[in-house]
Amino acid sequence: MLHEPVLLHEVISILNLQPGEIVLDGTVGSGGHAEAILEATAPSGILIGIDQDPSAIERAQQRLKRFESR
């Protein structure tokens, strides 16, 4: 089961993301917000996701596999 990101729609709305932007997610966690960020910045936006927890990075990598080149 995937983790449900908190206030996802509010965060994405406030960020006002545009296609092609480069975004830093400093607490990528399980990748829920990161997934929405990549969708909002498609087709060429780039996400830089970091997290202190190596297992969180692994979960995010799995969830975001379809965006691997971005």
Side-chain angles (χ1 to χ4, degrees), residues 2 6 16-18 22 25-26 32 42-43 49 51-52 57-59 69:
L2 291 178
V6 178
N16 190 31
L17 299 165
Q18 303 299 312
I22 300 171
D25 184 344
D51 201 293
Q52 183 175 342
I57 297 290
E58 289 177 21
R59 288 190 309 274
S69 65

Side-chain angles (χ1 to χ4, degrees), residues 1-3 25-35 47-65:
M1 182 165 85
L2 291 178
H3 168 75
D25 184 344
T27 56
V28 76
S30 294
H33 285 93
E35 182 176 41
L47 174 82
I48 301 166
I50 58 175
D51 201 293
Q52 183 175 342
D53 181 356
S55 64
I57 297 290
E58 289 177 21
R59 288 190 309 274
Q61 286 174 327
Q62 288 303 311
R63 184 173 190 156
L64 305 173
K65 196 165 194 75

Side-chain angles (χ1 to χ4, degrees), residues 17-23 34 37-48 67-70:
L17 299 165
Q18 303 299 312
E21 289 187 325
I22 300 171
V23 180
I37 290 167
L38 285 162
E39 289 170 350
T41 60
S44 59
I46 296 173
L47 174 82
I48 301 166
F67 301 104
E68 198 166 36
S69 65
R70 298 182 35 220

